Amino acid sequence: QVRVVESGGGLVQPGGSLRLSCTASGSIFDIADMGWYRQVPGKERALVARINSGGSTIYADSVNGRFTISGDNTKKTVYLQMNSLKPEDTAVYYCHCIYRGSYISGPLDAWGQGTLVTVSS
């Protein structure tokens, strides 16, 4: 009923930039928080950055100063601008959304299918 779709992944050289986008759609009353996580084979999915409905952001130490998360509440969309990319940023990036289905419902969450980012020369 709620769909989260990422786009913008791909292959980029070290030092390059990419911009990821994520849009949530479906039975959403409002969104409290959206964020990006990443996962490499054999490791746990890890937080990259999050933004809440008030615009407050948090970042993983490994990306702070290089990545910027932003959002458009009206479009239910969040972006991740990734600059100065490093080979260790290579991962599948997943979008996560915390939302309410109605004004009386509790928080729910949904994940996207992921988009692959490869940083390599």
Side-chain angles (χ1 to χ4, degrees):
Q1 294 181 357
V2 172
R3 190 171 179 224
V4 177
V5 179
E6 306 99 336
S7 63
L11 173 65
V12 63
Q13 292 187 342
S17 298
L18 274 179
R19 188 190 194 214
L20 305 183
S21 299
C22 169
T23 298
S25 62
S27 301
I28 298 172
F29 176 72
D30 59 17
I31 293 176
D33 191 304
M34 291 184 77
W36 291 94
Y37 290 72
R38 65 188 181 187
Q39 189 170 23
V40 297
K43 291 193 175 182
E44 296 285 321
R45 192 172 296 186
L47 171 71
V48 176
R50 296 202 68 92
I51 184 168
N52 67 18
S53 57
S56 296
T57 59
I58 57 172
Y59 294 92
D61 289 343
S62 59
V63 307
N64 203 13
R66 299 186 298 122
F67 292 10
T68 302
I69 189 170
S70 60
D72 185 333
N73 290 338
T74 62
K75 296 181 179 179
K76 299 183 178 65
T77 297
V78 65
Y79 307 96
L80 185 68
Q81 178 66 43
M82 305 185 293
N83 299 328
S84 302
L85 282 160
K86 305 174 181 179
E88 51 263 44
D89 294 317
T90 296
V92 177
Y93 284 70
Y94 295 91
C95 183
H96 183 240
C97 176
I98 300 175
Y99 67 98
R100 292 190 298 165
S102 72
Y103 75 98
I104 59 171
S105 72
L108 302 169
D109 76 314
W111 289 92
Q113 292 299 306
T115 185
L116 177 63
V117 172
T118 303
V119 184
S120 175
S121 55

